[in-house]
Amino acid sequence: MVRSAILLGLVGFSAVWAHTEPKTEAEIETQRALQRAAYYCAPAVGEFTAARKRAWRQQVLSGLPLNQAAFAPPSIPSAGNPSLPTNDDLFASETYESAGQSSLSKHQELLACDVVEDETEMQNNTCVLTPIVTEGPYYHKMGHPIRQNIAEYEIGLLTYLDIGVIDVNTCKPLPNVLVDIWQANSTGYYAGHNADSSLVLAQPQVGGRRSGLLSAFPRNDFKDQWLRGAWKTDSHGIARFTTIFPGYYTGRATHIHSKVFTEWTENPNGTFDGRKLAHVGQFFFEDDLNLQIDKMWPYSENPIRDIRGRTRNWRDSLNIFEDSQGPEGQYDPIFKMHLLGGVINQGLVGFITMGINASYEMDNFWKG
């Protein structure tokens, strides 16, 4: 179709701006053209997200055991006793596939670049290209474990993440790519980077792009890997994680880091070595939600709560939150969050879809 032809016609230009922050007028216009063409697929992505949300509702809120709930006919009512599923049940691939496919007309593909007939809520402006932003100083190039439950024994608000990945070159979901995520714990520390006594009393940078930031805490523990992990997308282009809601630290808005590898090597110890890195990005949360979670224990014990407080999205240092929206502001990097139960402290589930250029390869190294 014409829209698909426009999109594919722009694929050849992707190497020109190399999927990094565009600088010249030509690079900026090329990215804008790719975003405009890719945006035509957004209604399909809306249905993509809606199908995922329906699957979660069936799995979490049904009174039946999880797999029975996914396949139960309408004549069998819910027992009315919502419970949280186990990880094995929650991530069962056949559960999502059944729930997602049942909601689509037979002539539709899940992510075809056709307009979806049923109106759905737009979750973000994907297939717009997800902007690349800094990975930050707390990534561990080696040793990230391959797992879906990354929480370990960290205390915090139960949070499930449902991350969709599509290729903006084809507007199709990307199966079998590795989504790697890492985040701070409830009081703002990363695994392996404990409080450094020489930096505790340091003052943040004043003025400039780094305004509000402290120097990064050095890595002083090479064993801890909590709140770090990677998982391969399924046949629908989905990677799902169990974690806790992240805490905040000086100068940065509340966020979760991500990388997407199209090639990697799994090690015997359950970790991986990345070979082909296609994307580096960050996800965020609505400030109103952050304000409520700030009041909950142990988030209320954050050591900078009464000194500097949490940095709002719009004040994020290095302009990372702003950069995450792209040069046209057409990408929404904020998770769409929903309650797992009747009240917030029963947990959350967040949805987001990334549109990446799967043909691109960047080096896996932080440049500061």
Side-chain angles (χ1 to χ4, degrees), residues 49-120:
T49 306
R52 288 148 58 193
K53 290 169 66 174
R54 286 192 290 270
W56 277 95
R57 283 198 296 269
Q58 286 180 313
Q59 293 170 27
V60 177
L61 299 180
S62 172
L64 298 170
L66 180 78
N67 288 332
Q68 291 182 34
F71 300 111
S75 58
I76 300 179
S78 169
N81 184 25
S83 59
L84 296 178
T86 65
N87 276 348
D88 290 341
D89 285 337
L90 186 65
F91 299 124
S93 59
E94 67 274 9
T95 302
Y96 172 76
E97 186 167 356
S98 172
Q101 290 179 345
S102 64
S103 64
L104 300 176
S105 303
K106 293 181 179 179
H107 68 279
Q108 293 176 343
E109 296 179 29
L110 187 60
L111 269 180
C113 288
D114 295 320
V115 176
V116 176
E117 294 176 358
D118 295 333
E119 183 177 354
T120 57

Side-chain angles (χ1 to χ4, degrees), residues 87-222:
N87 276 348
D88 290 341
D89 285 337
L90 186 65
F91 299 124
S93 59
E94 67 274 9
T95 302
Y96 172 76
E97 186 167 356
S98 172
Q101 290 179 345
S102 64
S103 64
L104 300 176
S105 303
K106 293 181 179 179
H107 68 279
Q108 293 176 343
E109 296 179 29
L110 187 60
L111 269 180
C113 288
D114 295 320
V115 176
V116 176
E117 294 176 358
D118 295 333
E119 183 177 354
T120 57
E121 179 185 356
M122 285 299 300
Q123 296 302 309
N124 54 39
N125 289 343
T126 326
C127 300
V128 173
L129 194 67
T130 307
I132 283 180
V133 295
T134 177
E135 72 178 39
Y138 295 115
Y139 183 69
H140 296 170
K141 186 174 179 181
M142 308 290 289
H144 267 206
I146 298 177
R147 59 184 180 180
Q148 288 178 285
N149 190 334
I150 69 173
E152 292 192 18
Y153 295 113
E154 287 299 305
I155 300 173
L157 179 64
L158 171 65
T159 302
Y160 293 127
L161 304 177
D162 185 298
I163 301 172
V165 185
I166 63 170
D167 187 353
V168 294
N169 296 324
T170 63
C171 213
K172 297 290 185 181
L174 270 173
N176 302 318
V177 297
L178 195 69
V179 177
D180 187 18
I181 65 173
W182 65 104
Q183 65 174 81
N185 68 4
S186 58
T187 52
Y189 294 102
Y190 285 88
H193 302 260
N194 300 314
D196 187 301
S197 57
S198 65
L199 294 175
V200 169
L201 299 179
Q203 294 301 309
Q205 173 71 31
V206 177
R209 279 176 56 86
R210 297 183 62 83
S211 178
L213 282 179
L214 292 176
S215 298
F217 286 0
R219 187 174 181 183
N220 47 27
D221 188 316
F222 290 83

